[in-house]
């Protein structure tokens, strides 16, 4: 079976390649890549070069059939939001050899004087710009093209983060490298018209309002929200892991979905909410935190073609016939379901599920201090019954 060799190349072209990359390209017979990447070879190889077909993903299995090694040219580090990861996932690590170049992220951090380990990496190559909104910290944002910096700057300005430090770095590592420092507000109002397609954006988000757990007033809601104390206990029971997907059923304001996505990088969620006004609030909350949450209509109808979850939270709709069982059926072995109930009817459903499936059944009672005249009393919240189970 032929090898697939992925060679990273930077804006400095063939001159910037190391010995291993040069040796691989010198023996290559077929090389695939984008037009920009292939142009960087500038006639320095004898191989036949092929531009990627469009759409790319469906075509990949057929491109690498047949005898002889196939080489792929990729930008920078092919394993950092690059084609290398996709090819390994499709063909396996034993068949794919990766020869990385210095990544644009590392070069950008070097120009900014930032520690790579302390800097988030956000790709907008295929994602919507709103997914790069943050409430603090710093990030290197990989652009989809020349228009990405202006689009992101406008979003930051409209979200009240126009003071964010905003640096656009173009053609990193190449002879035409350029750096422009600004803030998001200035870039949003007077974006230059000559931004290169090959750019990344370094953003230090201001004001810095990062918190480990969000207060209730951080969300736009009408009272239909899992309160902060119970939210923390619910996330503990859900036990999110990096890259996992949650179904938030009866999502209300979407606080569980948002907190799930904030817990680890690459976590995503699908939120189901039947009320249109609440869906609109939910969407605003998703945009405000820059998390990846798909907002859908009410369950169980909207569950049918939803992407498979790693975990499910049911915060509303437990009395809907068959809903709980449909959520359980959607989970693979090892998947986690957590359901909260505040009514007697919903609590009875959870008690029956506990009897049938096992798991853990808990009841939480919490209260907050509140003024009573000149003194202080305890104001109790509704007790919460919670059932948590792992699918065998």
């Amino acid at each position: 079976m032929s090898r697939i060799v992925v060679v990273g190349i930077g804006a400095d072209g063939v001159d910037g390649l190391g010995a291993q990359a040069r040796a691989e390209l010198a023996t290559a017979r077929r090389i695939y890549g984008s037009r920009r990447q292939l142009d960087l070879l500038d006639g320095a190889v004898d191989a036949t070069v092929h531009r990627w077909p469009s759409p790319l993903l469906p075509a990949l299995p057929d491109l690498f059939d047949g005898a002889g090694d196939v080489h792929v040219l990729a930008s920078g580090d092919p394993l950092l939001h690059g084609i290398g990861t996709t090819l390994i996932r499709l063909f396996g690590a034993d068949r794919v050899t990766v020869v990385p170049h210095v990544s644009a992220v590392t070069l950008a951090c070097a120009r900014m004087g930032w520690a790579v380990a302390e800097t988030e990496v956000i790709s907008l190559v295929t994602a919507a710009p709103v997914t790069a909104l943050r409430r603090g910290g710093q990030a290197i944002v990989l652009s989809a093209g020349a228009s990405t910096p202006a689009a992101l700057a406008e979003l930051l300005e409209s979200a009240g983060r126009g003071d964010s430090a905003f640096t656009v770095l173009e053609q990193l590592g190449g002879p035409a490298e350029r750096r422009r420092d600004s803030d998001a507000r200035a870039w949003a109002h007077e974006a230059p018209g000559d931004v290169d397609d090959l750019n990344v954006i370094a953003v230090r988000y201001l004001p810095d309002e990062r918190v480990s757990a969000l207060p209730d007033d951080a969300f736009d809601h009408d009272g239909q929200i899992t309160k902060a104390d119970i939210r923390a206990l619910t996330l503990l029971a859900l036990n999110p892991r990096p890259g996992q997907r949650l179904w938030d059923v009866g999502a209300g304001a979407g606080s569980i979905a948002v907190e799930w996505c904030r817990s680890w990088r690459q976590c995503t969620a699908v939120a189901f909410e039947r009320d249109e006004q609440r869906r609109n609030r939910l969407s605003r909350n998703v945009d405000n935190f820059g998390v990846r949450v798909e907002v859908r209509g009410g369950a169980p109808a909207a569950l049918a073609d939803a992407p498979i979850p790693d975990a499910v939270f049911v915060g509303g709709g437990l009395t809907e016939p068959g809903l709980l069982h449909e959520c359980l059926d959607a989970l693979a072995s090892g998947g986690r379901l957590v359901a909260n109930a505040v009514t007697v009817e919903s609590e009875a459903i959870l008690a029956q599920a506990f009897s049938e499936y096992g798991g853990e059944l808990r009841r939480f009672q919490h209260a907050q201090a509140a003024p009573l005249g000149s003194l202080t009393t305890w104001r109790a919240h509704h007790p919460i019954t919670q059932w948590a189970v792992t699918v065998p």
Side-chain angles (χ1 to χ4, degrees), residues 356-389:
E356 185 176 351
Y357 296 103
E360 300 161 291
L361 191 66
R362 306 183 181 93
R363 200 170 205 226
F364 302 116
Q365 177 72 63
H366 64 300
Q368 287 180 306
L372 182 64
S374 61
L375 302 176
T376 303
T377 188
W378 289 105
R379 181 166 297 157
H381 295 273
H382 292 300
I384 304 291
T385 299
Q386 182 181 92
W387 178 55
V389 68

Side-chain angles (χ1 to χ4, degrees), residues 29-32 38 41 45 47-51:
R29 291 294 171 261
R30 283 188 292 158
I31 301 177
Y32 287 93
L38 295 173
L41 294 175
V45 298
T48 303
V49 298
H50 304 271
R51 287 177 57 183

Side-chain angles (χ1 to χ4, degrees), residues 46-321:
D46 294 329
T48 303
V49 298
H50 304 271
R51 287 177 57 183
W52 289 123
S54 181
L56 174 59
L57 287 179
L60 283 177
D62 293 334
L63 293 183
F64 301 103
D65 287 342
D69 293 347
V70 181
H71 287 69
V72 171
L73 210 57
S75 293
D77 184 347
L79 297 179
L80 184 63
H81 294 282
I83 189 66
T85 305
T86 301
L87 293 174
I88 288 174
R89 186 174 67 247
L90 288 175
F91 300 103
D94 291 342
R95 189 177 171 193
V96 180
T97 299
V98 177
V99 184
H101 193 272
V102 179
S103 72
V105 171
T106 299
L107 287 172
C109 285
R111 304 297 187 262
M112 300 300 297
W114 293 353
V116 176
E118 297 170 3
T119 303
E120 185 178 1
V121 180
I122 305 170
S123 176
L124 297 185
V125 174
T126 57
V130 71
T131 59
L133 290 182
R134 296 293 184 271
R135 298 173 70 89
Q138 63 193 36
I140 300 299
V141 180
L142 307 178
S143 286
S147 63
T148 303
L152 178 57
E154 290 166 8
L155 280 170
L156 288 168
E157 167 72 346
S158 64
R161 283 171 168 68
D163 290 334
S164 298
F166 199 86
T167 298
V168 178
L169 300 153
E170 302 161 77
Q171 289 285 337
L172 274 169
E177 180 174 325
R178 178 168 56 181
R179 168 178 178 162
R180 287 187 266 197
D181 296 288
S182 182
D183 58 41
R185 180 175 297 108
W187 196 280
H189 291 298
E190 294 186 53
D194 60 343
V195 178
D196 194 271
D197 274 332
L198 186 62
N199 73 82
V200 301
I201 312 158
V203 185
R204 192 182 295 277
Y205 296 93
L206 298 172
D208 194 330
E209 299 173 328
R210 287 172 293 173
V211 290
S212 56
L214 296 169
D216 295 340
D217 61 9
F219 297 92
D220 182 2
H221 68 91
D222 61 357
Q224 189 75 9
I225 183 173
T226 303
K227 302 297 191 295
D229 295 342
I230 299 300
R231 193 159 65 244
L233 292 168
T234 301
L235 265 293
L236 182 66
L238 284 167
N239 190 28
R241 305 304 303 160
Q244 289 190 330
R245 179 186 293 114
L246 173 75
W247 280 5
D248 186 354
V249 180
S255 62
I256 293 293
V258 168
E259 294 276 32
W260 169 277
C261 293
R262 293 177 70 247
S263 65
W264 293 98
R265 291 184 181 181
Q266 306 303 316
C267 279
T268 61
V270 183
F272 303 88
E273 174 54 54
R274 66 175 67 250
D275 185 273
E276 184 178 1
Q277 289 187 335
R278 286 176 181 158
R279 282 201 304 273
N280 291 336
R281 290 190 180 96
L282 199 165
S283 295
R284 288 195 291 271
N285 289 327
V286 167
D287 290 348
N288 188 38
F289 289 100
V291 291
R292 295 175 60 191
V293 179
E294 179 186 348
V295 179
R296 292 188 168 215
L303 301 179
D305 59 345
I308 297 172
D310 299 288
V312 175
F313 170 63
V314 184
L318 276 169
T319 56
E320 191 73 29

